[in-house]
């Protein structure tokens, strides 16, 4: 039986981590196109250093809970969240509810649970949903709001926890636990047209996975240019799958230097998951639980733990410079300090990051400003956002905040 463990990263906030041990790649071994040094001893910085515009969207028309993923597709917002009407919900760009996909249940067009949603690249109005604990891929039409196809995965890739759809009816699948007696791999390329696994990459270490299999959010994703990228915590960096060469190579190397979690600790062998987590919590020298990479045109955002505190890490791919923050100054929307977890996206496209905030948190921020005598100044500086937050119901759906990446400057210092 697969063991799962959750731990609090903020009050009432839980996230999970994924362990990268299967391919035994040491951090100093692979070469990469980009190498970046990651260090936790850095101070709070402003979001406006990387982003220059923000938009707030209230999702209306259906009650949602636990928003896990948002995809911007044309004029639609595709939201993976819990609701009575299904698992996947479609909204207009202004937040109006358009319908739900994939009802809960055990029927042929229903799902027990869902793990990830991906746009089918050569069918832009079709989404692929990894469902039923990684046993099925459900293809859903955004035009008819119906399930149009159900793909049953073979035994050697069943149990996948992440998926991204590729061209030609192919799907890259990530699994963190084994289900057969034979060799298994972390990354598996499945061709649904021929019903065969046509590629397997990064061997799965079954001895380790037996008691150290976690899951994380967005560790397998596809860029708008078609690159498929993959990362697991304790790994050397972000890997990229090249379909032309049918190979996996290191794209970004994370150089953690003195903060690198020692390989000897990872391979030490533990009685159970709790014993390993005790080591992570007790040690005070190393970065651990580096998870949830979100990549846009020039930036990569992720979250990690150091000395039991969370850090938001932002990498500028143009320069290889990495900045880590124990708190973040949101000088674009709330003009307040927010936690790294609040600043971590739940979705991204080529130019935007999508954050999520609970209405009661935003309202509390305004109340704090009022008590501090700073609300009038905030309303003067952010009139649109102050009106938006002032009209929120504390029990309403989570609010989406879309940040636009700052345009690079030209040689004369002006933005393009």
């Amino acid at each position: 039986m697969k063991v799962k463990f959750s731990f609090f990263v903020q009050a009432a906030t839980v996230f999970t981590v994924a362990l990268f041990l299967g391919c035994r790649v040491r951090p100093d071994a692979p070469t990469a196109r980009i190498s970046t040094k990651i260090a936790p001893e850095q101070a709070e910085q402003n979001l406006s250093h990387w982003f220059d515009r923000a938009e707030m969207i209230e999702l209306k028309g259906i009650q949602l809970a636990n928003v896990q993923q948002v995809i911007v597709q044309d004029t639609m917002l595709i939201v993976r969240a819990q609701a009575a009407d299904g698992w996947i919900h479609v909204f207009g760009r202004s937040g109006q509810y358009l319908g739900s996909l994939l009802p809960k249940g055990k029927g042929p067009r229903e799902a027990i649970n869902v793990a990830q949603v991906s746009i089918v690249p050569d069918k832009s109005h079709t989404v692929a949903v990894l469902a039923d604990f990684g046993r099925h891929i459900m293809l859903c039409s955004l035009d008819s709001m119906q399930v149009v196809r159900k793909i049953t995965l073979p035994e050697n890739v069943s149990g996948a926890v992440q998926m991204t759809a590729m061209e030609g009816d192919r799907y890259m699948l990530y699994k963190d636990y084994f289900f057969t007696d034979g060799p298994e791999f972390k990354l598996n390329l499945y061709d649904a047209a021929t019903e065969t696994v046509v590629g397997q990459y990064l061997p799965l270490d079954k001895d380790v996975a037996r008691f150290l299999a976690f899951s994380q959010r967005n560790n397998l994703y596809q860029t708008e240019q078609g690159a498929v990228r993959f990362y697991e915590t304790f790994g050397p960096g972000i890997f990229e799958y090249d379909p032309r060469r049918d190979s996996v190579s290191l794209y970004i190397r994370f150089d953690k230097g003195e903060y690198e979690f020692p390989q000897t600790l990872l391979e030490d062998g533990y009685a159970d998951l709790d014993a390993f987590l005790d080591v992570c919590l007790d040690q005070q020298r190393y970065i651990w639980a580096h998870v949830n990479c979100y990549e846009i045109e020039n930036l990569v955002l992720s979250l990690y733990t150091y000395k039991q505190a969370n850090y938001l890490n932002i990498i500028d791919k143009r320069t290889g410079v990495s900045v880590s923050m124990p708190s973040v100054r949101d000088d674009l929307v709330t003009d307040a300090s927010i936690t790294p977890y609040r600043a971590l996206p739940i979705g991204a496209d080529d130019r935007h990051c999508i954050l999520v905030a609970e209405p009661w948190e935003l309202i509390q921020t305004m109340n704090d400003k009022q008590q501090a005598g700073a609300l009038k100044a905030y309303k003067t500086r952010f009139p649109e956002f102050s009106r938006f937050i002032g009209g929120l119901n504390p029990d309403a759906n989570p609010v989406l905040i879309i940040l636009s990446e700052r345009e690079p400057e030209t040689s004369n210092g002006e933005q393009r």
Side-chain angles (χ1 to χ4, degrees), residues 225-270:
Q225 291 72 38
V228 175
R229 293 185 179 141
F230 167 78
Y231 171 73
E232 285 186 303
T233 189
F234 300 116
I238 297 175
F239 287 84
E240 179 176 287
Y241 169 73
D242 185 346
R244 295 167 300 178
R245 299 182 179 181
D246 189 29
S247 63
V248 174
S249 61
L250 195 59
Y251 170 61
I252 298 179
R253 177 177 175 262
F254 296 154
D255 179 5
K256 300 175 185 176
E258 64 184 286
Y259 305 105
E260 183 74 46
F261 203 94
Q263 194 79 11
T264 53
L265 280 181
L266 295 178
E267 299 175 354
D268 198 29
Y270 300 91

Side-chain angles (χ1 to χ4, degrees), residues 117-372:
V117 182
S118 177
I119 299 292
V120 179
D122 42 3
K123 298 177 181 179
S124 62
H125 274 223
T126 301
V127 296
V129 184
L130 184 63
D132 299 333
F133 300 100
R135 296 195 299 270
H136 299 114
I137 295 173
M138 313 290 277
L139 299 185
C140 305
S141 169
L142 295 175
D143 296 323
S144 66
M145 293 291 181
Q146 298 291 324
V147 175
V148 295
R149 185 179 172 198
K150 181 177 182 179
I151 300 170
T152 300
L153 295 172
E155 184 181 33
N156 59 339
V157 296
S158 183
V161 295
Q162 297 276 299
M163 171 274 303
T164 187
M166 301 172 63
E167 292 184 349
D169 207 14
R170 293 187 171 197
Y171 305 86
M172 187 68 81
L173 299 150
Y174 161 69
K175 60 189 301 182
D176 61 358
Y177 198 73
F178 59 94
F179 292 93
T180 70
D181 294 331
E184 295 189 53
F185 296 80
K186 289 179 177 288
L187 292 183
N188 300 270
L189 182 58
Y190 182 68
D191 188 327
T194 61
E195 298 183 349
T196 56
V197 178
V198 294
Q200 294 185 301
Y201 320 91
L202 307 178
L204 179 64
D205 189 321
K206 296 186 177 184
D207 291 335
V208 173
R210 191 182 303 278
F211 56 89
L212 283 179
F214 298 73
S215 61
Q216 66 166 304
R217 192 174 77 209
N218 205 61
N219 69 320
L220 177 65
Y221 60 93
Q222 190 169 19
T223 69
E224 291 197 356
Q225 291 72 38
V228 175
R229 293 185 179 141
F230 167 78
Y231 171 73
E232 285 186 303
T233 189
F234 300 116
I238 297 175
F239 287 84
E240 179 176 287
Y241 169 73
D242 185 346
R244 295 167 300 178
R245 299 182 179 181
D246 189 29
S247 63
V248 174
S249 61
L250 195 59
Y251 170 61
I252 298 179
R253 177 177 175 262
F254 296 154
D255 179 5
K256 300 175 185 176
E258 64 184 286
Y259 305 105
E260 183 74 46
F261 203 94
Q263 194 79 11
T264 53
L265 280 181
L266 295 178
E267 299 175 354
D268 198 29
Y270 300 91
D272 52 33
L273 182 55
D274 288 343
F276 174 72
L277 288 173
D278 285 342
V279 171
C280 293
L281 291 166
D282 289 343
Q283 59 81 19
Q284 297 292 312
R285 294 177 292 168
Y286 310 122
I287 289 172
W288 63 287
H290 192 176
V291 294
N292 300 345
C293 289
Y294 285 85
E295 183 174 352
I296 56 178
E297 183 175 4
N298 297 307
L299 305 174
V300 176
L301 291 82
S302 57
L303 188 77
Y304 68 74
T305 303
Y306 174 71
K307 290 187 176 180
Q308 302 186 31
N310 297 315
Y311 285 76
L312 178 72
N313 190 75
I314 300 181
I315 299 169
D316 189 325
K317 294 185 289 183
R318 296 163 295 189
T319 63
V321 173
S322 170
V323 177
S324 295
M325 294 159 280
S327 66
V328 183
R329 185 72 187 181
D330 171 20
D331 60 337
L332 294 175
V333 177
T334 63
D335 198 27
S337 295
I338 60 176
T339 66
Y341 199 77
R342 274 275 310 278
L344 185 72
I346 60 168
D349 61 21
D350 204 37
R351 297 292 303 172
H352 306 91
C353 283
I354 305 170
L355 314 185
V356 64
E358 294 292 339
W360 64 266
E361 293 177 303
L362 298 171
I363 294 169
Q364 183 60 52
T365 299
M366 298 303 102
N367 292 339
D368 292 343
K369 291 184 183 300
Q370 186 171 24
Q371 293 180 5

Side-chain angles (χ1 to χ4, degrees), residues 33-89:
R33 276 179 276 169
I34 301 171
S35 181
T36 181
K37 293 185 179 297
I38 297 178
E41 304 297 345
Q42 293 168 322
E44 177 179 275
Q45 296 202 31
N46 294 331
L47 278 178
S48 61
H49 181 80
W50 296 279
F51 304 95
D52 59 3
R53 292 184 302 278
E55 176 187 2
M56 300 183 78
I57 300 174
E58 183 180 5
L59 302 176
K60 299 180 179 180
I62 185 175
Q63 189 64 42
L64 302 177
N66 194 25
V67 175
Q68 292 290 309
Q69 183 184 2
V70 177
I71 299 173
V72 179
Q73 180 66 7
D74 298 331
T75 59
M76 295 176 288
L77 300 170
I78 302 166
V79 179
R80 175 164 62 92
Q82 295 182 13
D85 293 338
W87 293 106
I88 314 299
H89 316 282

